[in-house]
Amino acid sequence: GVSRSFGVSLAEKFVAEGANLIIIARSGDELRAVANNLREKYNSSQSVTAIQCDISITRDVDALFHGHL
């Protein structure tokens, strides 16, 4: 997920390049912290949307793609 070092690095790279992001992770608290940090650090008009989701759970993935999370 995005709340770990590799995911955070990728998210930072995309935001720095001007991308809008939807980031996901299992941990809601860590996920929200990452999203807030990206918004503050880059102070950009890009959208950073954080969605708590465990991609190892089929039900969570289905809900993610069907807009129920």
Side-chain angles (χ1 to χ4, degrees):
V2 79
S3 62
R4 303 290 180 223
S5 61
F6 182 71
V8 171
S9 295
L10 275 175
E12 286 182 348
K13 177 75 171 162
F14 283 118
V15 170
E17 294 291 324
N20 293 315
L21 298 180
I22 297 173
I23 58 175
I24 63 171
R26 287 183 300 223
S27 170
D29 292 337
E30 290 178 20
L31 177 64
R32 284 184 290 280
V34 169
N36 289 334
N37 288 339
L38 288 171
R39 291 182 195 113
E40 290 173 10
K41 183 175 182 178
Y42 294 96
N43 194 26
S44 64
S45 61
Q46 288 93 317
S47 170
V48 178
T49 302
I51 300 173
Q52 185 175 354
C53 176
D54 185 339
I55 62 170
S56 70
I57 300 173
T58 302
R59 180 183 68 243
D60 278 10
V61 174
D62 288 342
L64 175 67
F65 283 101
H66 295 289
H68 299 290
L69 287 179

